[in-house]
Amino acid sequence: MTKQQKRTIEREFYRYKANKEAGGEFIKDYAYSRIAVNYEGDRVCGSGLNTAEDGVVNAVNKDLSKSVRAYKWSIVFEKTMDRFRWTQKDKLMRQKYLEGKSVYRICTDIGIERRTYFYWLEEILSLALQWAFALNITFAN
């Protein structure tokens, strides 16, 4: 795992709540728009005759891709949490990413040493990287 991948995963894990909300909006909007809009694959399509319409279509596609990315990152977080459910690593993830506690506080609350914390964190991030690859998430940001 590269440093960039690690930073991206951690950034998206800290953004879990916002990603979950954006992902929910994506699902709702996608479901409603499937009824009324012509689609080509996973992309919104315009008629090609109206430049204003094309501008709107491009904006929707761009927004849709951000929402899809947020949705996928929320799935990565949830699947990683599910893998460690009912363990100390689950507590570590909750306290670090959802509650924003410090390393010292997490180690004290869970009852682990600092090196164990970093060892577990590396294991958590490695699993998250595997899920990200499985969901075809790019790390270009």
Side-chain angles (χ1 to χ4, degrees), residues 8-137:
T8 302
I9 292 169
E10 288 208 295
R11 181 184 66 231
E12 296 301 333
F13 275 15
Y14 280 117
R15 291 182 186 166
Y16 169 69
K17 290 179 184 177
N19 284 343
K20 182 72 173 173
E21 187 176 310
E25 289 296 316
F26 157 71
I27 293 298
K28 184 176 71 174
D29 292 345
Y30 187 72
Y32 285 125
S33 62
R34 285 291 276 180
I35 298 167
V37 179
N38 179 21
Y39 279 82
E40 216 176 75
D42 288 340
R43 208 170 50 80
V44 180
C45 301
S47 65
L49 303 174
N50 187 343
T51 57
E53 180 185 66
D54 289 342
V56 171
V57 167
N58 289 337
V60 169
N61 280 333
K62 189 174 183 180
D63 187 48
L64 190 64
S65 67
K66 288 180 183 178
S67 298
V68 169
R69 183 173 165 79
Y71 174 71
K72 286 182 178 181
W73 275 114
S74 67
I75 296 297
V76 168
F77 184 84
E78 290 167 359
K79 288 189 176 284
T80 305
M81 285 285 287
D82 284 345
R83 168 61 182 84
F84 297 115
R85 183 91 43 217
W86 312 116
T87 66
Q88 299 288 54
K89 293 173 190 165
D90 174 37
K91 291 179 184 177
L92 186 150
M93 285 184 71
R94 286 183 192 282
Q95 290 184 8
K96 179 173 178 64
Y97 299 114
L98 299 179
E99 299 170 17
K101 291 186 178 178
S102 68
V103 175
Y104 174 78
R105 177 58 61 196
I106 294 169
C107 291
T108 304
D109 289 351
I110 297 176
I112 59 173
E113 291 184 19
R114 189 176 169 88
R115 71 177 159 198
T116 303
Y117 166 88
F118 287 108
Y119 179 77
W120 285 0
L121 187 60
E122 193 66 31
E123 186 178 345
I124 289 165
L125 296 177
S126 295
L127 180 64
L129 180 66
Q130 291 174 10
W131 280 115
F133 283 147
L135 293 171
N136 295 324
I137 298 174

